Amino acid sequence: MEARMTGRDGGAPLEPLGNTPVVILIRPQMAENIGTTARAMANGGLFHLRIVSPRDGWPQERAWRAASGADRILEAATVHDSVDDAIADLHHVYATCPRPRHIIKTVMTARGGAAELRAATRRGLKVGLMFGPERAGLDNEDMARADALIRYPLNPAFMSLNLAQAVMIMAYEWWMSEDSTPPRTLMTNETHVATKGELENFMSHLVRELDDCGFLRNAQKKPGMVRNLRHFFTRGEVTEQELRTLHGVVRELAHPRGKDGLPDAG
Amino acid sequence: MEARMTGRDGGAPLEPLGNTPVVILIRPQMAENIGTTARAMANGGLFHLRIVSPRDGWPQERAWRAASGADRILEAATVHDSVDDAIADLHHVYATCPRPRHIIKTVMTARGGAAELRAATRRGLKVGLMFGPERAGLDNEDMARADALIRYPLNPAFMSLNLAQAVMIMAYEWWMSEDSTPPRTLMTNETHVATKGELENFMSHLVRELDDCGFLRNAQKKPGMVRNLRHFFTRGEVTEQELRTLHGVVRELAHPRGKDGLPDAG
């Protein structure tokens, strides 16, 4: 395999995170796109970049400028004369292709492809993702070498996708294929989600002050009004710290001290 | 609401696809990023763009040049003096934020956020997605106006994300939240996946020729060898057209006609 290390220094301390898919750029035209590809790869935890016949040669200063610190990926990238050379040591190769035509081939979504790539790497297989040149995309010979095509579900009225955007979606789906972040969570920092007891304590304080000020004077309506307030305060999670603030809000509204911090004379 | 139509012509025939989230760029710095944002929005079927206090004013020719034909989105974009003005008519607003700190807020993944946005639009609510300026991101006042923050699960060692890449991920997840493309399918074009009968027909042809040429001369090993071939030919889907080609391959290998199309004299 003909390969060339580009050897420079700088950027974020990136390194391979286990057995990750190789990104193979086939005949890329713009050096900037190689740089932004490296950046997108870094975002998704990919590291291995192979470049087949870059139009303007390699290395290119413009790639480094566009990589926003993903230099290590560019430094470790290898250059190849042919697709066959670039994929010879890989077990599975997927080709991204927006508009496959007149071919008989397995087609996968980005998410489905990422799941298969993840499963294959867990089996210890080396896998790759091929991306075609900016204008023309992969040609028929390139696609015939792929185990499957990956076609992103996107707006059919506007499929024009920048090369780095295409890499970003696969890099993101690769990262997501093993991510376990809960879809929704409350970031509480130094406080905690209030217990029902802490909430009840506040409700008692609030109702007591509302009784005192006369807001609940209608005895018949009072239970419903309190229940409605309870509905409001249980709609989303509330933290212990927020309850303390709300205690203060109720106390100060009921017993105003005025702007000078003294009991209000008005 | 102060709003200004930018009024130009050209590009892809984009239009709003139902009730879709509004993308709100807060104090964006680079006009190119507004253009590439429009392109990413178009990819994911988004249309409504609002721009709060763009650093270099609006409209900007560079935005159109970077939009790759998503002109309609830029033409329909509105400009606003404040975040409050840009979100006043919306029911839910989510803020993308890579590194939220010291705040008590609901945090969602891009996928979880997209699912909630989809559910809200189905209820007829108007929803928005806020993106901060390139360098600083959203400030604390911006985030306090959001119902929840969206934080992409991505490589924590490299979170630097271009503005349009950030928009792309949300636009992609928005599109995926209602996409039903099967994760894996065989694109067959004019042919069809072979029936078991068609496959058996080919297997009979193959075994007959292998019998004739002596490949299966060992009667004891024959059943196992045939079974192994059958395993190979049933590993993936095969089409009727491919079986016809394979029939031809077997026929020509067994009874070669030579390069001139006549029966081989050798």
Side-chain angles (χ1 to χ4, degrees), chain A residues 114-133:
Chain A
E116 289 205 0
L117 287 167
R118 183 67 73 173
T121 57
R122 287 207 187 102
R123 292 165 59 202
L125 301 178
K126 290 183 74 171
V127 298
L129 275 164
M130 300 199 295
F131 295 86

Side-chain angles (χ1 to χ4, degrees), chain A residues 14-113:
Chain A
L14 298 167
E15 56 184 337
L17 302 172
N19 178 15
T20 54
V22 176
V23 169
I24 304 145
L25 298 185
I26 314 234
R27 301 180 299 280
Q29 300 173 299
M30 312 277 285
E32 286 85 354
N33 285 337
I34 302 177
T36 49
T37 286
R39 182 181 185 179
M41 289 172 63
N43 289 141
L46 299 177
F47 188 82
H48 308 290
L49 177 61
R50 297 179 185 178
I51 312 171
V52 177
S53 309
R55 186 189 64 184
D56 299 335
W58 191 257
Q60 289 284 333
E61 191 60 40
R62 285 172 299 147
W64 266 259
R65 277 204 301 273
S68 292
D71 300 17
R72 297 259 192 283
I73 289 172
L74 297 176
E75 288 155 19
T78 56
V79 177
H80 304 260
D81 284 336
S82 70
V83 173
D84 285 328
D85 184 63
I87 67 176
D89 63 325
L90 305 180
H91 300 97
H92 289 182
V93 175
Y94 293 70
T96 59
C97 178
R99 288 189 188 82
R101 277 180 198 164
H102 306 303
I103 52 177
I104 294 170
K105 199 82 171 180
T106 299
V107 178
M108 310 204 63
T109 61
R111 194 162 295 168

Side-chain angles (χ1 to χ4, degrees), chain A residues 74-248:
Chain A
L74 297 176
E75 288 155 19
T78 56
V79 177
H80 304 260
D81 284 336
S82 70
V83 173
D84 285 328
D85 184 63
I87 67 176
D89 63 325
L90 305 180
H91 300 97
H92 289 182
V93 175
Y94 293 70
T96 59
C97 178
R99 288 189 188 82
R101 277 180 198 164
H102 306 303
I103 52 177
I104 294 170
K105 199 82 171 180
T106 299
V107 178
M108 310 204 63
T109 61
R111 194 162 295 168
E116 289 205 0
L117 287 167
R118 183 67 73 173
T121 57
R122 287 207 187 102
R123 292 165 59 202
L125 301 178
K126 290 183 74 171
V127 298
L129 275 164
M130 300 199 295
F131 295 86
E134 287 88 336
R135 280 181 188 283
L138 295 169
D139 68 24
N140 290 340
E141 289 300 322
D142 302 328
M143 285 190 274
R145 280 155 176 75
D147 296 274
L149 303 182
I150 293 181
R151 186 167 185 243
Y152 305 159
L154 282 173
N155 183 5
F158 196 88
M159 293 290 278
S160 157
L161 201 63
N162 168 267
L163 178 56
Q165 296 278 41
V167 172
M168 182 77 244
I169 287 177
M170 279 312 301
Y172 167 71
E173 284 287 9
W174 165 257
W175 187 270
M176 285 298 289
S177 69
E178 203 170 67
D179 180 75
S180 58
T181 310
R184 174 181 261 270
T185 188
L186 183 68
M187 185 168 51
T188 51
N189 290 305
E190 279 84 49
T191 182
H192 60 265
V193 174
T195 64
K196 293 305 177 192
E198 286 163 342
L199 181 63
E200 191 51 36
N201 191 24
F202 168 72
M203 285 300 298
S204 304
H205 178 189
L206 177 63
V207 170
R208 191 167 61 246
E209 293 292 0
L210 292 177
D211 263 331
D212 285 359
C213 76
F215 184 76
L216 299 173
R217 68 179 74 83
N218 186 325
Q220 205 182 344
K221 288 188 177 167
K222 177 178 168 180
M225 293 172 81
V226 171
R227 202 160 49 237
N228 287 345
L229 284 168
R230 204 182 286 279
H231 279 306
F232 172 74
F233 282 105
T234 53
R235 189 152 308 142
E237 288 174 314
V238 60
T239 66
E240 187 274 338
Q241 180 184 305
E242 286 162 341
L243 284 183
R244 271 187 283 135
T245 303
L246 289 170
H247 274 292

Side-chain angles (χ1 to χ4, degrees), chain B residues 156-178:
Chain B
F158 195 89
M159 294 288 279
S160 158
L161 202 61
N162 167 268
L163 178 56
Q165 296 278 41
V167 173
M168 182 77 243
I169 287 177
M170 278 313 299
Y172 167 72
E173 285 287 11
W174 165 258
W175 188 270
M176 286 298 289
S177 69
E178 202 169 68

